[in-house]
Amino acid sequence: MMANKSLFSNRMNQFPRADARNEAGGRAYKYEPKHALAQLAATGTFNGVFYANAQAQLDELRTLINQVDDNRFLAQLAVYARERAFMKDMPAALLVTLSTRDTELLHRVFDRVVDNGRVLRTMFQMIRSGQFGRTGLSSSLQRAFQRWLNEASVGKLLSASIGHDPSLRDVLRLARPTPVDNARRALFGWLTDKEPAKWAPASAADLPAQVQALIAYRCAETEREQAAIVEGLSVRWDLLADAAKGPLVWRAIARQMGPQALRMNLNTLLRHDVFRDDALIDEVANRLVDKDAIRRSRQFPYQFLAAYLNASDQIPHKIKAALHEAAEVACGNVPELSGPVVIGLDTSNAN
């Protein structure tokens, strides 16, 4: 009897043998460390996914980093993961690693990776955790943080102040930036909840106009007063929501929301009676499908799909139709891949 021809076919010699197991348990091909690290940096998250939990992804990232002895590659990958793959946590982790290897490269790419307060706070949290080789700010990292805090716009700092554990106050207290002027000195004092007497030589009069308007909004006694202040106040809606006194204020907040905030908070606006105003319904729908805004915000189609699927049944039809159209526009934000693209189904662990 002849040997199994399927098993011993000549065609089998044309393909390399699988030399690893993937996360599903199936046979797979092992990537070189740089290749595997690049794939993880551009697609991974520190949360549970279908085949791997958060700890497994962290362990894999640290293993691959230890296998890549090329600091320039790490710096380039951190920038690519942030600017082209639009990742948040992975580039921050690479930057923390770079801070232990090459401080010159760290400073060259820091501002490109840490382009907003959320990434700054994420990086700070990773440093404090000790998961990437350090538990505090080195002098070099401290200088990078100080530069960012002094050069960031007032709007960026106010946005960074949203959230806790760590808070921006935690970052400021550890980074200890030296204010460049009295306006920044007063702002740092206000952000860290220091008494105005401790801001000297700065005073409350030195606070930036945005902050003074925000304080006035929170102290306003009537709904109309608040709404009037919001119309001229350009800050994130999160800073206004907890003090909003009624629907009139919420309608003013809706007009100030950015495209991502609108997409993610349609049900919140519905609960606060924003969509009883037909003119505002039209305005929100038009802003959701603004092509330039969608490109600038780097939103992907699935994000609009998620908003559509989670939208309450009471959301106006015109806004739901806008989400559908916006998803089509957002297809233009999906990066193009050079060369032919093959889409395959993963059946590696199928029964």
Side-chain angles (χ1 to χ4, degrees), residues 5 7 36 38 54 62 88 106 113 118 168 179 190 218 229 236 279 292 304 309 312 337 351:
K5 292 186 178 181
L7 185 62
R62 289 187 301 195
K88 302 179 182 69
L106 166 74
V113 175
R118 177 177 175 178
L168 182 61
W190 183 78
R218 291 175 176 173
I229 294 172
R236 275 186 49 160
D292 291 334
F304 289 101
L309 294 175
S312 166
L337 301 177
N351 294 325

Side-chain angles (χ1 to χ4, degrees), residues 38-46 76-92 94 112-116 118-119 122 260 263 292-304 329-336:
Q39 183 183 59
L40 184 61
T43 62
T45 70
F46 292 123
Q76 291 173 325
L77 182 57
V79 172
Y80 179 88
R82 181 67 189 128
E83 293 185 347
R84 299 293 297 278
F86 309 142
M87 304 298 285
K88 302 179 182 69
D89 296 348
M90 287 293 174
L94 291 169
R112 294 181 65 178
V113 175
V114 184
D115 58 356
N116 62 42
R118 177 177 175 178
V119 180
T122 295
Q260 292 201 60
R263 170 181 57 79
D292 291 334
I294 292 172
R295 293 191 186 99
R296 286 195 305 271
S297 62
R298 303 184 292 194
Q299 298 175 88
F300 286 145
Y302 78 88
Q303 294 173 293
F304 289 101
V329 175
C331 289
N333 288 344
V334 177
E336 293 185 9

Side-chain angles (χ1 to χ4, degrees), residues 15-63:
F15 306 105
R17 295 180 183 276
D19 56 359
R21 294 280 176 181
N22 61 21
E23 291 171 338
R27 300 185 68 183
Y29 298 99
K30 187 176 182 179
Y31 293 140
E32 292 295 319
K34 283 187 176 181
H35 186 156
L37 181 59
Q39 183 183 59
L40 184 61
T43 62
T45 70
F46 292 123
N47 292 296
V49 292
F50 193 79
Y51 287 125
N53 59 29
Q55 185 63 50
Q57 291 192 74
L58 174 59
D59 292 343
E60 182 183 5
L61 179 70
R62 289 187 301 195
T63 298

